[in-house]
Amino acid sequence: VIKCKAAVAWEAGKPLSLEEVEVAPPKAHEVRIKIIATAVCHTDAYTLSGADPEGCFPVILGHEGAGIVESVGEGVTKVKPGDTVIPLYIPQCGECKFCKNPKTNLCQRIRITQGKGVMPDGTSRFTCKGKQIYHFMGTSTFSEYTVVADISVAKIDAAAPLDKVCLLGCGISTGYGAAVNTAKVERGSTCAVFGLGGVGLAVIMGCKIAGASRIIGIDLNKDKYAKAKEFGATECISPQDFKKPIQEVLAEMTDGGVDYSFECIGNVGVMRAALEACHKGWGVSVIVGVAAAGQEISTRPFQLVTGRTWKGTAFGGWKSVDSVPKLVTEYMSKKIKVDEFVTHTLPFDKINEAFELMHTGK
């Protein structure tokens, strides 16, 4: 058993608490990882807020991390101690019908136990002050050591800087893949990206790499426009600057609507606007943001009857074990940006400050 520091969420709506936790050794088909770097994501904040119906407490959050394999359980063949890895919140077992289908990346092998905050055998590897602590998204990267299923880990280039590539564990991969895998953005097309946070910027990067000729960023926070343009946005607008609905504004700007739109916020009203901003006959709108539990999307069916397509994406459609190492290689060869997404680097004990920075849009 390893004793180490972890940021424990004891209950919903309270700041994280830095505690000494015990991390049990990996059982069969499990991997224990020394986490070197982790990022914070709105999904962590969503669960911490208490709004997540799958949220279990007390829990160790975190799902964008990178580290080194410390030890492996019986039957683990794909990684060994000393390997550099990224934990994966969407695993890839290679055997379930989802993994065998090229149309999806949503491996279901450990979905039920992962959703309940436990390892595949139904138990936890974390304890603190005599209490069992739940796992989160199969990763729990807000701990100096974590244990994951062997299908939830990707071995990556040992030369990769872990304080950067940890971002490929969620946000950058999600946005980039939404553009290149889910939407399949084409050269010369016009795109609209709603929400210019980390995921939105990654979508812009994907649209640019795919050869889009016009990329319109939409956000209420104008402080985000300069960064969006660095990533490839050709122009940025705020819905607050117009008297009419933003979808009408976009239709006028683009002679009938955009070819591709992306919702990167998790707001069901914006999801509708994003669909309706698409061009009749061929427009495709991709939902990337995760809306709160119980919310529903609506539009007039005529929007779809007249040739628009509404799609959704999880982790950018990447089959995780196969794709994350390739994304790291693309970063190392400068095909995709990663460093530019990092605004602040903080010590682990300042993790609550990281959440404050995220909530204030900084």
Side-chain angles (χ1 to χ4, degrees):
V1 175
I2 288 177
K3 288 186 176 176
C4 68
K5 275 195 303 191
V8 177
W10 287 107
E11 55 184 302
K14 296 279 171 69
L16 301 178
S17 176
L18 229 62
E19 306 281 1
E20 183 180 79
V21 298
E22 295 86 42
V23 185
K27 294 188 183 178
H29 294 286
E30 295 177 1
V31 178
R32 187 160 61 181
I33 302 167
K34 180 178 187 181
I35 297 288
I36 304 298
T38 186
V40 296
C41 171
H42 278 283
T43 310
D44 303 306
Y46 169 60
T47 298
L48 185 59
S49 75
D52 181 357
E54 270 198 346
C56 320
F57 294 89
V59 64
I60 294 172
L61 299 170
H63 63 282
E64 285 185 318
I68 311 289
V69 174
E70 177 272 333
S71 58
V72 299
E74 192 187 331
V76 175
T77 55
K78 291 193 173 150
V79 293
K80 62 186 187 303
D83 282 350
T84 305
V85 293
I86 289 177
L88 308 167
Y89 70 89
I90 292 182
Q92 187 187 351
C93 71
E95 292 162 11
C96 70
K97 68 178 179 182
F98 288 79
C99 282
K100 286 180 172 166
N101 190 322
K103 294 177 180 173
T104 184
N105 62 331
L106 296 173
C107 173
Q108 296 296 293
R109 177 83 169 273
I110 59 172
R111 178 73 203 98
I112 291 165
T113 49
Q114 182 173 316
K116 290 179 178 165
V118 290
M119 295 298 289
D121 72 346
T123 63
S124 167
R125 301 291 162 269
F126 298 120
T127 49
C128 181
K129 298 179 178 170
K131 288 196 179 81
Q132 172 185 287
I133 308 292
Y134 286 108
H135 294 250
F136 178 66
M137 290 176 75
T139 52
S140 289
T141 60
F142 293 172
S143 174
E144 292 179 325
Y145 287 86
T146 190
V147 179
V148 304
D150 63 353
I151 59 172
S152 302
V153 65
K155 181 181 171 181
I156 62 161
D157 183 344
L162 300 188
D163 61 330
K164 305 294 193 296
V165 296
C166 61
L167 294 173
L168 292 170
C170 179
I172 298 178
S173 305
T174 297
Y176 177 45
V180 299
N181 297 331
T182 310
K184 296 186 168 62
V185 169
E186 294 151 322
R187 187 159 295 284
S189 57
T190 299
C191 303
V193 181
F194 291 78
L196 301 176
V199 173
L201 294 175
V203 170
I204 290 171
M205 176 176 78
C207 292
K208 185 180 179 184
I209 289 169
S213 59
R214 194 171 176 194
I215 304 167
I216 304 164
I218 300 114
D219 202 297
L220 299 172
N221 183 349
K222 294 185 179 180
D223 294 341
K224 299 191 170 187
Y225 293 178
K227 183 67 98 170
K229 285 176 181 168
E230 279 173 41
F231 277 86
T234 51
E235 62 225 277
C236 294
I237 56 175
S238 167
Q240 286 174 333
D241 290 346
F242 303 92
K243 293 213 164 51
K244 58 180 73 167
I246 192 69
Q247 53 267 52
E248 290 178 28
V249 174
L250 286 160
E252 284 175 13
M253 286 172 68
T254 58
D255 186 27
V258 298
D259 302 310
Y260 300 97
S261 70
F262 301 85
E263 198 279 354
C264 307
I265 302 161
N267 177 312
V268 292
V270 177
M271 290 173 190
R272 177 172 190 162
L275 176 78
E276 295 177 1
C278 283
H279 201 287
K280 182 190 279 190
W282 63 76
V284 175
S285 187
V286 181
I287 293 174
V288 193
V290 178
Q295 295 196 326
E296 296 182 350
I297 48 173
S298 63
T299 189
R300 289 178 300 114
F302 194 67
Q303 292 285 333
L304 302 173
V305 171
T306 50
R308 295 171 190 82
T309 304
W310 221 344
K311 301 179 87 168
T313 188
F315 196 54
W318 302 107
K319 286 194 184 272
S320 58
V321 174
D322 292 343
S323 303
V324 168
K326 292 176 186 162
L327 289 166
V328 170
T329 303
E330 286 193 1
Y331 157 66
M332 300 291 276
S333 63
K334 300 203 163 36
K335 185 189 169 187
I336 60 171
K337 292 176 156 75
V338 173
D339 298 11
E340 293 82 353
F341 285 87
V342 180
T343 56
H344 296 74
T345 305
L346 300 162
F348 186 34
D349 55 14
K350 298 265 178 76
I351 190 160
N352 286 310
E353 281 182 37
F355 275 91
E356 284 164 31
L357 287 162
M358 179 173 70
H359 285 308
T360 54
K362 294 177 182 169

